[in-house]
Amino acid sequence: MTEPAPPDPAPPEGGAITVNVLTGFLGSGKTHLLNRLLRLPELGGVAVLINEFGEVGLDHLLVEALDDEVVLLASGCVCCSIRGDLKEALVGLHDRMRRGLVPPFDRVVLETTGLADPGPIVATLTADPVLCHHFRLGNIVTVVDALAGLHNLDAHPEALHQAAVADRLVISKTDMAAPDRLEALRTRLRAINPAAEVIESGADSPVPATLLVSDIHRPGAREAEVARWLAAEGDGAGHGHHHHHHDGSVRAFVLSAGAPLDWAAFGLWLSMLLNRHGTRILRVKGLLDIRGVDSPVVIHGVQHTIHRPEHLAAWPDGDRRTRLVFIVDGLDPALIRRSFSAFVTG
Amino acid sequence: MCGLCGVFGVARHWTDASGAADAGTGTAERIHRARVANRMLGLFGLSLREWAGRYTLASRTGRAAVVDNLGAVWPEAERLAGRPCDPLDPAVIAAMEARRD
């Protein structure tokens, strides 16, 4: 009996448009960062998706309004407001590019509102068959205000979640904050999300394009990215240490295993865990040693969504152990470890 | 179907991708996956069988559903079992540990 050929909806490697999510609490300086990013010559060919033109001070960059939803910026970038839902905006923008109505772009920067939880945005991008064919998720960049950041993390669960899901944390307004307060914020962010790179940004400090460009999908950057995740193990997350600030119950920990894992057992267990607790598993990222596979398998996800696994050419630092960084909200690391052991490695 | 380029396709589950040795999800791999799944599904009175490129999930009372991939197993399992399939439920973990012993 011949098997039906499986569908092949996977986007062509390198051909998909990267979507960066730019988030941060109200007043954290997202728009300021966006403005500076749009001036970088390395970031030509970017389309920006925002909620309303009025919210963003892009007037000085504006060249012409193409229609009610799309404007052209001096940098050659396209800026589009989201009128309906995210899917509609992305498909519409892609369609305009295909028809030659807007300059070509290979990256979309999606600026969320200050109160947004990035989880559903990520789910929309990766679960929708149309979108996942043309777009792939790049770095989630979260801006945290050096002045109000600590307070916001204490007072607003949205701010805490935004920090926890980030691939890059940008501390803004560093030139305005007292050194001890800045250090307290650094420590706090490391406890919440030890796997993210932290970039500090004052009014005049340069913003690196790598903030967006250097991500897990980029072959030359993959090793460094994974090394940063794994460094979390030695950063207090190794034992699920809970930093008793006012972080509610957000905590990071590392799950590790010495023996190779069965892919099916791991996949079933993680799927079961995400099906029941996905909204409380803010991030999972790490390396797996899979039975029958020589190279390490990279896995990463946000809440319910796990991205297509990738491979590294070699084991970093020669350590072949499976190591997974979890950032969870309100779940007990000890129970997750025991469950992993019972279902996957036992 | 993708409205932009006319390609048919559904979003594949991450477990369909490169796991063990590029085995993909051929019949032998799906049979293996079903066997692994049954160690877990047995806790909830369910079983999974490879079936023509997909899987059938069945309860002891004869309720059944077709699932495309491992990711689709758990929502259907909860529906058929009529209860949560929670890997963090201490009773579920203890039952799994007992199976391993």
Side-chain angles (χ1 to χ4, degrees):
Chain A
M1 192 171 76
T2 54
E3 275 184 53
D8 184 21
E13 275 297 320
I17 296 164
T18 301
V19 180
N20 291 111
V21 177
L22 175 60
T23 186
F25 202 66
L26 301 166
S28 59
K30 294 187 295 294
T31 303
H32 183 62
L33 180 69
L34 181 61
N35 264 304
R36 294 166 73 194
L37 283 168
L38 288 175
R39 290 198 180 95
L40 296 174
E42 304 97 305
L43 288 180
V46 170
V48 181
L49 274 185
I50 56 177
N51 281 281
E52 277 183 46
F53 288 133
E55 289 176 0
V56 183
L58 292 171
D59 294 353
H60 57 293
L61 294 171
L62 180 64
V63 173
E64 70 172 307
L66 297 179
D67 57 39
D68 285 351
E69 290 174 38
V70 181
V71 299
L72 199 58
L73 306 177
S75 57
C77 297
V78 182
C79 187
C80 179
S81 67
I82 304 172
R83 289 204 152 174
D85 62 5
L86 174 60
K87 177 181 173 180
E88 208 176 290
L90 282 168
V91 169
L93 200 54
H94 190 279
D95 189 49
R96 281 189 180 92
M97 177 175 78
R98 211 172 48 124
R99 290 190 283 145
L101 300 176
V102 299
F105 57 89
D106 58 10
R107 179 177 304 276
V108 173
V109 179
L110 166 64
E111 185 185 352
T112 72
T113 66
L115 294 171
D117 179 349
I121 295 170
V122 172
T124 300
L125 276 175
T126 47
D128 185 276
V130 175
L131 291 183
C132 78
H133 199 82
H134 298 281
F135 299 94
R136 71 177 178 199
L137 182 71
N139 285 339
I140 300 174
V141 178
T142 300
V143 185
V144 183
D145 178 345
L147 297 175
L150 280 172
H151 168 76
N152 289 340
L153 292 170
D154 285 346
H156 304 287
E158 298 90 346
L160 195 57
H161 280 203
Q162 289 167 352
V165 301
D167 295 294
R168 298 288 183 275
L169 286 161
V170 177
I171 305 182
S172 62
K173 308 178 191 175
T174 50
D175 50 337
M176 296 157 74
D180 59 333
R181 198 147 176 84
L182 187 56
E183 184 52 32
L185 180 59
R186 285 189 198 113
T187 306
R188 181 71 165 283
L189 290 174
R190 248 193 325 270
I192 295 167
N193 187 345
E197 182 180 17
V198 178
I199 291 130
E200 302 193 0
S201 167
D204 300 320
S205 44
V207 180
T210 51
L211 195 62
L212 304 182
V213 170
S214 181
D215 66 25
I216 189 67
H217 303 294
R218 195 178 166 95
R222 200 171 284 164
E223 282 73 13
E225 190 67 21
V226 171
R228 185 178 307 113
W229 301 351
L230 299 182
E233 193 176 19
D235 204 25
H239 304 286
H241 178 58
H242 186 202
H243 297 258
H244 287 278
H245 302 288
H246 308 280
D247 294 348
S249 42
V250 170
R251 66 185 80 182
F253 67 97
V254 177
L255 199 65
S256 60
L261 308 181
D262 181 276
W263 176 251
F266 175 76
L268 280 156
W269 174 75
L270 187 57
S271 298
M272 180 166 36
L273 186 64
L274 295 176
N275 179 56
R276 199 94 295 273
H277 302 286
T279 53
R280 297 204 284 172
I281 296 176
L282 304 177
R283 290 230 61 166
V284 183
K285 45 172 82 171
L287 275 188
L288 304 173
D289 180 11
I290 297 298
R291 196 176 298 145
V293 180
D294 282 339
S295 56
V297 176
V298 179
I299 195 159
H300 62 119
V302 179
Q303 297 190 355
H304 291 96
T305 308
I306 297 288
H307 300 292
R308 193 172 53 171
E310 314 215 25
H311 290 260
L312 279 190
W315 288 90
D317 55 41
D319 185 348
R320 278 193 71 119
R321 284 177 310 136
T322 287
R323 283 159 288 170
L324 278 175
V325 182
F326 277 78
I327 301 175
V328 299
D329 184 0
L331 296 175
D332 177 5
L335 205 54
I336 295 177
R337 282 206 174 88
R338 193 179 147 205
S339 178
F340 177 69
S341 172
F343 281 91
V344 186
T345 64
Chain B
M1 191 175 82
C2 173
L4 295 174
C5 54
V7 172
F8 281 99
V10 293
R12 291 168 77 180
H13 191 250
W14 61 272
T15 53
D16 288 343
S18 50
D22 294 327
T25 46
T27 305
E29 176 63 17
R30 280 194 300 277
I31 290 170
H32 166 72
R33 289 179 178 203
R35 192 163 51 232
V36 173
N38 284 332
R39 285 199 283 261
M40 304 180 187
L41 288 164
L43 301 172
F44 308 102
L46 301 169
S47 63
L48 193 71
R49 285 182 62 191
E50 197 278 336
W51 176 70
R54 303 161 90 181
Y55 302 94
T56 53
L57 180 64
S59 74
R60 291 195 186 114
T61 57
R63 299 180 74 198
V66 175
V67 293
D68 288 326
N69 55 50
L70 297 187
V73 163
W74 297 110
E76 279 298 333
E78 292 193 336
R79 197 177 61 80
L80 294 182
R83 66 178 176 116
C85 298
D86 184 355
L88 299 185
D89 176 345
V92 168
I93 296 175
M96 194 68 195
E97 287 167 342
R99 285 182 162 226
R100 295 258 173 183
D101 291 339

